[in-house]
Amino acid sequence: MVKICCVGAGYVGGPTMAVIALKCPNIQVAVVDISVARINAWNSDTLPIYEPGLDDVVKKCRGKNLSFSTDVEKHVSEADIVFVSVNTPTKTQGLGAGKAADLTYWESAARMIADVAKSNKIVVEKSTVPVKTAEAIEKILTHNSKGINFQILSNPEFLAEGTAISDLFNPDRVLIGGRETPEGKKAIETLRDVYAHWVPVDRIICTNLWSAELSKLAANAFLAQRISSVNSMSALCEATGADVSQVSHAVGKDMRIGPKFLNASVGFGGSCFQKDILNLVYICECNGLPEVANYWKQVIKVNDYQKTRFVNRIVSSMFNTVSGKKIAILGFAFKKDTGDTRETPAIDVCKGLIGDKAKLSIYDPQVRQDQIQRDLSMEKFDWDHPVHLQPMSPTSITDVSVVSDAYTATKDAHGLCILTEWDEFQKLDFQKIFDNMQKPAFVFDGRHVVDVEKLRKIGFIVYSIGKPLDDWLKDMPAVV
Ligand code: NAI
């Protein structure tokens, strides 16, 4: 029986391995991690991540051909195929700080694999890594190989959080990059056979290592670029009286452009987009391509601009100060159907409002208070380290309370901001919310959740990104 081990039981390692176990009953899958708390949670009834459909898949396979363990070395040494899906944070110090990927966790995983291996192995890069990482990993493994043959493959993951299970069941494509040697080709075939249990072979793309690594960075950069493109249009729409939803609908009808990823919002978040673009920028700079680097850097700049613009709209509409005012924040996760808050725009918006001395009352259906406190206390990029290695005991932010429903969050508030597009926010009783808020009552919709006209009829002053402005906001500067 083929044995697979995955190092790293996170948002990628957990769901991908659970689906492999479900679709390949003849393969034994072990997911290992250095975080005891994470592994305990994977072995409990409350999984460490919220993802629709995941519970069901895990319940079907756990205890059969799927296991979660902290005994990293044992499972790695027994495996034929070792996936590595560990953190790849952005470096905060030294060469490439603020841009380059920090491969500390990757390198330590590779050294551990070389140490404990007693038989030939295929080592699969599942984490998103800079181009040519496989070469570095290959060197670490072969220089410590004790005669064991290691084949390195790049198999980047394209799942989207919130739809991870359906993405994994029915991927647009699976990408496998490997060496073009006979051994490399054989390793590619072995991994292709795993996916071929449920993915049509014409959707399994095989390339060389560098193409696979770069394709992942390029795909994320293209997706983020679409969001920044439509967000840049949202600013122009507000200035001219156009409606960004109408513009993106009209633009997206063009078959060459397509409708997806054209929703204007307060900005993109998630663990990957910014990190992967910074990484791409760094690689371009290292290869003497400053024009290409600057082109991609602009995607991040527009995203930052969009968050700043949103905060400035709030402050300027509320008489240029939010000091001492209660502001309700509805939604903290970076998108709906996930509890993930990594790089969520809510962090920058909340920090901006706290900087102007607002009092925040935050509600998100899936994000817990300790996570929000931690996010608002952490330095940029610190989130992308294993939980037990993140800076300890963040000081509690006193002007923030986290509550368990939207009505408590908005009671006596001067304004409310919608930062995640949770379905339940569409069904709120806005008349009741209006009755319980201070007047004038403001709504700042960063996700196109509310019916603007309906809320204006109730009496709210409404700002919805990229939509024609409320009279109240017309003469106020968008960026102060
Ligand atoms: P994560 O932070 O949820 O999980 C990483 C796990 O690796 C942690 O549980 C950590 O404790 C563990 N770990 C770190 N070093 C280890 C070691 N030496 N031995 C054993 N375990 C170790 O991260 P996530 O989101 O799963 O991402 C992993 C990689 O996949 C990253 O490179 C990310 O960029 C990439 N990726 C993430 C996607 C996403 O939607 N989150 C999608 C596609 C790729």
Side-chain angles (χ1 to χ4, degrees):
M1 190 186 231
V2 175
K3 283 192 175 168
I4 288 181
C5 173
C6 176
V7 183
Y11 285 87
V12 171
T16 45
M17 292 303 124
V19 168
I20 289 181
L22 182 76
K23 299 291 187 182
C24 312
N26 58 332
I27 295 179
Q28 196 69 40
V29 183
V31 190
V32 297
D33 203 293
I34 45 173
S35 164
V36 177
R38 261 218 165 149
I39 291 299
N40 287 345
W42 280 110
N43 283 320
S44 77
D45 285 338
T46 314
L47 301 184
I49 61 177
Y50 170 70
E51 192 62 63
L54 177 63
D55 277 37
D56 195 38
V57 176
V58 170
K59 271 187 198 135
K60 281 189 180 136
C61 313
R62 200 173 51 191
K64 290 182 189 145
N65 64 332
L66 174 68
S67 63
F68 296 92
S69 167
T70 49
D71 197 344
V72 179
E73 299 187 355
K74 170 182 178 282
H75 289 286
V76 167
S77 80
E78 289 174 356
D80 307 294
I81 306 175
V82 181
F83 285 83
V84 182
S85 182
V86 299
N87 317 61
T88 48
T90 304
K91 276 183 89 171
T92 48
Q93 286 175 331
L95 190 64
K99 279 180 279 196
D102 175 351
L103 293 177
T104 310
Y105 302 109
W106 234 111
E107 187 174 333
S108 90
R111 288 184 186 279
M112 179 271 300
I113 296 169
D115 266 1
V116 304
K118 295 187 195 72
S119 55
N120 295 348
K121 298 200 186 312
I122 297 173
V123 177
V124 185
E125 287 180 344
K126 200 56 164 159
S127 304
T128 307
V129 290
V131 183
K132 300 255 167 172
T133 298
E135 198 167 84
I137 301 306
E138 202 171 50
K139 280 185 185 143
I140 292 172
L141 290 170
T142 48
H143 279 84
N144 296 281
S145 73
K146 299 167 284 186
I148 289 166
N149 182 269
F150 293 105
Q151 282 303 316
I152 319 292
L153 298 179
S154 165
N155 172 220
E157 185 48 60
F158 293 99
L159 66 80
E161 285 176 34
T163 52
I165 297 301
S166 56
D167 293 346
L168 287 164
F169 279 178
N170 191 21
D172 291 339
R173 77 309 208 181
V174 166
L175 180 55
I176 304 174
R179 287 278 182 205
E180 283 150 324
T181 57
E183 297 81 15
K185 286 183 182 156
K186 194 158 170 266
I188 292 176
E189 263 171 42
T190 305
L191 187 56
R192 193 177 51 191
D193 289 347
V194 171
Y195 285 106
H197 279 78
W198 78 98
V199 180
V201 275
D202 60 351
R203 285 204 218 157
I204 304 177
I205 304 171
C206 300
T207 66
N208 72 29
L209 275 171
W210 325 132
S211 300
E213 288 180 341
L214 183 57
S215 299
K216 173 64 190 175
L217 295 183
N220 273 352
F222 277 47
L223 290 170
Q225 179 207 43
R226 280 175 78 93
I227 299 176
S228 280
S229 296
V230 74
N231 281 345
S232 73
M233 286 299 148
S234 75
L236 189 56
C237 286
E238 287 167 30
T240 56
D243 179 329
V244 74
S245 301
Q246 294 176 350
V247 172
S248 54
H249 178 70
V251 170
K253 278 286 173 193
D254 187 323
M255 294 285 278
R256 294 165 302 177
I257 298 172
K260 292 193 175 155
F261 267 65
L262 285 185
N263 291 327
S265 71
V266 62
F268 60 73
S271 67
C272 296
F273 283 178
Q274 172 168 296
K275 180 174 76 171
D276 293 354
I277 294 175
L278 287 171
N279 204 333
L280 189 63
V281 165
Y282 184 67
I283 296 169
C284 293
E285 286 172 352
C286 291
N287 282 286
L289 302 168
E291 288 80 4
V292 186
N294 286 338
Y295 174 76
W296 289 109
K297 229 185 256 176
Q298 199 58 29
V299 172
I300 295 176
K301 281 193 184 161
V302 169
N303 198 47
D304 289 339
Y305 164 76
Q306 190 75 344
K307 292 181 272 190
T308 309
R309 221 165 66 72
F310 191 76
V311 172
N312 290 344
R313 281 283 191 209
I314 298 172
V315 178
S316 65
S317 358
M318 297 175 84
F319 314 104
N320 244 352
T321 178
V322 287
S323 178
K325 292 176 186 167
K326 176 175 173 181
I327 308 223
I329 304 291
L330 301 189
F332 198 83
F334 84 93
K335 64 174 177 180
K336 75 171 181 178
D337 292 338
T338 175
D340 193 355
T341 60
R342 296 177 294 178
E343 287 294 341
T344 174
I347 295 176
D348 287 332
V349 171
C350 289
K351 282 186 174 172
L353 294 171
I354 294 166
D356 222 297
K357 297 198 169 61
K359 294 199 177 306
L360 305 183
S361 187
I362 305 177
Y363 165 63
D364 185 288
Q366 283 298 333
V367 186
R368 295 208 330 249
Q369 173 163 1
D370 57 334
Q371 184 62 50
I372 292 175
Q373 284 286 353
R374 192 189 268 271
D375 287 334
L376 294 177
S377 326
M378 249 187 293
E379 297 292 330
K380 202 168 171 59
F381 303 129
D382 277 352
W383 52 267
D384 201 4
H385 293 269
V387 177
H388 63 291
L389 298 177
Q390 283 171 10
M392 289 302 289
S393 60
T395 44
S396 173
I397 308 265
T398 48
D399 282 339
V400 172
S401 64
V402 178
V403 298
S404 56
D405 70 279
Y407 297 103
T408 313
T410 50
K411 185 159 179 8
D412 294 325
H414 291 256
L416 80 84
C417 305
I418 300 175
L419 300 184
T420 313
E421 70 283 21
W422 286 105
D423 291 342
E424 67 174 66
F425 296 158
Q426 277 172 359
K427 296 174 206 136
L428 290 171
D429 179 348
F430 279 99
Q431 182 65 57
K432 177 174 160 190
I433 288 176
F434 180 79
D435 293 343
N436 288 321
M437 281 176 68
Q438 306 274 352
K439 308 295 174 327
F442 296 86
V443 170
F444 303 95
D445 186 358
R447 295 284 179 179
H448 291 173
V449 166
V450 302
D451 179 337
V452 176
E453 285 318 313
K454 199 169 139 198
L455 263 61
R456 284 191 184 136
K457 275 198 192 109
I458 292 176
F460 284 105
I461 295 160
V462 186
Y463 167 69
S464 180
I465 278 193
K467 301 272 183 179
L469 292 180
D470 205 296
D471 283 343
W472 182 283
L473 292 130
K474 274 197 177 134
D475 298 321
M476 295 179 182
V479 175
V480 185

